[in-house]
Amino acid sequence: MANSKKLKKQNKPKQLPTHVEKKREQERAAAKKAKRRRIWKRIGIAAGTVVLTGGIVWGVFTAVQKSGILLHNRIAMSSEHYEVNNAMMDYYYVELEKSFFASGQDYLNYVGVDPEKSLKEQIYQGDTTWFDYLMQTVTSNNEQMLVLLEEATAQGMTLDDTEKADMEQKLSGINLEDYAPGVRMEDVRKAVEYSLIATKYSNKILADTKTSEADWEAYYAEHEDDYLQLDALSYAFTISDEGMTAEEAMEQAKLLEQTTSRETFEKWVEQYLTDTGVEEDVVNQKVEACKTTGALSNFGEEITAWAKADTTQPGDTYIAQSDTACKVYMLLSKPVRDEQPTVDIRHILLSTEKCGSAEAALERAKAVLEEWKKGAANEESFGELAKQYSADGSASSGGLYEKVYPGEMVEEFDAWCFDESRRDGDTDIVETQYGAHVMYFVKHSLPRWQAEISGKLDNEGYQNTYKALVEQHPVTKNEKNIAKVADER
């Protein structure tokens, strides 16, 4: 049906006088102007409200961040009975970063890290920054920690009174300003306790899976060539399209083969290089490089068989030919196991970096050694001081290094450890490029071959036990929350 209002005839409005129409137009204009003022006033009030609200929101966000609510509520990883939140992750990261920087300027230079710049701005590898790498390490460490913590709990393991006292000692030195805003002492306490219990159970696994001398001997019998040391000289004549032919390389090799002592071998190589136009400093380097030492198995079956043969004696030579070279070997001694003794030592590093100078590090080391002498003055008390003062990564284990072999440590450190006069319980201060080390000699340990085999077998036993625990105690990781740790720093 049609709308009646539309169909109704519209009456034409009456024409108003000109002066009346003009007055009404002025009134309408004034009304519009007033309306516009009211609208802009409202807009101004609204804008002010937005600014005020934004300030309130930012203030609330900052307060929430400082309170630690976000850090506590973000769970980075968890197991059946335990959780690691972002506050704890931040603590673990900072402690690892401290240890990293405590490695010393020489190490940082070697890996290309500038301690004055943020690790978030420095590339470790590819697109991974050093911050990312350390955080990945923290995540991996914490995953292992939770597995061990679960099993420790299942076995009823807790911290004893001495261990609790050690924990309190560590906590007393904590400065919360080192960590992200909102990290509380309760977070740090929980993080330290978890770590200590997990480490305690880890040490139990190590003790339970420790192998014996009979195990080492049996393993050696099956892998003898991996532990027999080849001590020889060698020099290779390279075959190439641009250089020597195979015949020319063999001709020179046969001449070198005629030498009968180390001296004549090295003299021959020196003269040969000089005659072929090699510069003197390079000649010296190449002659030095003739000295060849290493596990017999690294040299292949041909050289292994030659070196072990009863008919082969020191001073004998042998030519090993391949498609690319003719290489001459001279045996310096029959292959034997590496019987060099290893040592167990403890040390406390007072780093040059932390102390400000080498002189300050030395004075601090003297004070620490004096503190030890005035106390119980035994290995245990030395280990406690290492936990308290050492800037080295070994601090958590009381500064202990086990089965150290000759040449493993920096020169000054090595010289002190392997001095012939060294006796159990000896102490001293040794200065190196890293700072001043307060030293404690624990004991002479296993021959190197036994140290290597026992280390290998003990590690395999530990890893086999740990893998079984991983199956029993799965760990869940929240990658999004872990990624937010970076935003909180």
Side-chain angles (χ1 to χ4, degrees), residues 60-86:
V60 170
F61 174 78
T62 303
V64 168
Q65 186 181 39
K66 288 183 178 180
S67 73
I69 293 174
L70 295 178
L71 288 166
H72 292 289
N73 288 342
R74 288 175 180 155
I75 304 303
M77 49 207 317
S78 61
S79 55
E80 185 179 0
H81 301 101
Y82 295 96
E83 293 179 338
V84 175
N85 61 34
N86 275 22

Side-chain angles (χ1 to χ4, degrees), residues 218-233:
Y219 185 87
Y220 172 79
E222 293 181 16
H223 304 85
E224 180 183 69
D225 292 347
D226 291 336
Y227 297 94
L228 288 176
Q229 291 291 116
L230 176 66
D231 191 10
L233 297 174

Side-chain angles (χ1 to χ4, degrees), residues 127-142:
D127 295 330
T128 303
T129 66
W130 274 98
F131 177 89
D132 296 333
Y133 171 70
L134 292 187
M135 184 54 67
Q136 288 167 8
T137 303
V138 168
T139 302
S140 177
N141 289 346
N142 286 353

Side-chain angles (χ1 to χ4, degrees), residues 387-406:
K387 291 177 183 178
Q388 187 175 351
Y389 296 126
S390 185
D392 185 68
S394 64
S396 61
S397 61
L400 180 63
Y401 280 106
E402 296 180 295
K403 302 171 186 175
V404 176
Y405 57 82

Side-chain angles (χ1 to χ4, degrees), residues 390-443:
S390 185
D392 185 68
S394 64
S396 61
S397 61
L400 180 63
Y401 280 106
E402 296 180 295
K403 302 171 186 175
V404 176
Y405 57 82
E408 183 178 5
M409 300 297 192
V410 291
E411 185 177 350
E412 301 88 349
F413 197 107
D414 185 81
W416 188 85
C417 290
F418 293 98
D419 187 305
E420 291 183 359
S421 65
R422 193 63 54 231
R423 297 291 180 269
D424 296 1
D426 282 357
T427 57
D428 207 342
I429 294 174
V430 173
E431 294 183 85
T432 72
Q433 59 192 337
Y434 301 108
H437 305 253
V438 184
M439 308 292 294
Y440 183 95
F441 190 85
V442 179
K443 64 178 180 179

Side-chain angles (χ1 to χ4, degrees), residues 85-148:
N85 61 34
N86 275 22
M88 296 166 69
M89 288 290 285
D90 187 80
Y91 165 80
Y92 289 127
Y93 172 81
V94 171
E95 293 305 299
L96 180 61
E97 186 180 72
K98 287 179 182 178
S99 178
F100 176 67
F101 283 121
S103 300
Q105 190 60 53
D106 287 339
Y107 174 75
L108 296 177
N109 289 340
Y110 176 73
V111 298
V113 169
D114 183 349
E116 299 301 319
K117 293 182 180 179
S118 169
L119 292 182
K120 294 179 183 179
E121 300 171 1
Q122 302 185 67
I123 297 298
Y124 166 70
Q125 197 174 67
D127 295 330
T128 303
T129 66
W130 274 98
F131 177 89
D132 296 333
Y133 171 70
L134 292 187
M135 184 54 67
Q136 288 167 8
T137 303
V138 168
T139 302
S140 177
N141 289 346
N142 286 353
E143 187 172 6
Q144 295 178 49
M145 178 187 75
L146 287 175
V147 170
L148 295 168

Side-chain angles (χ1 to χ4, degrees), residues 64 118-119 171 208 224 253 262 290 298 338 357 377 412 423 474:
V64 168
S118 169
L119 292 182
L171 291 172
D208 291 345
E224 180 183 69
R262 176 172 186 167
C290 287
N298 293 338
D338 189 345
S357 68
E412 301 88 349
R423 297 291 180 269

Side-chain angles (χ1 to χ4, degrees), residues 229-244:
Q229 291 291 116
L230 176 66
D231 191 10
L233 297 174
S234 67
Y235 186 81
F237 299 94
T238 304
I239 300 167
S240 68
D241 294 337
E242 299 78 21
M244 285 184 172

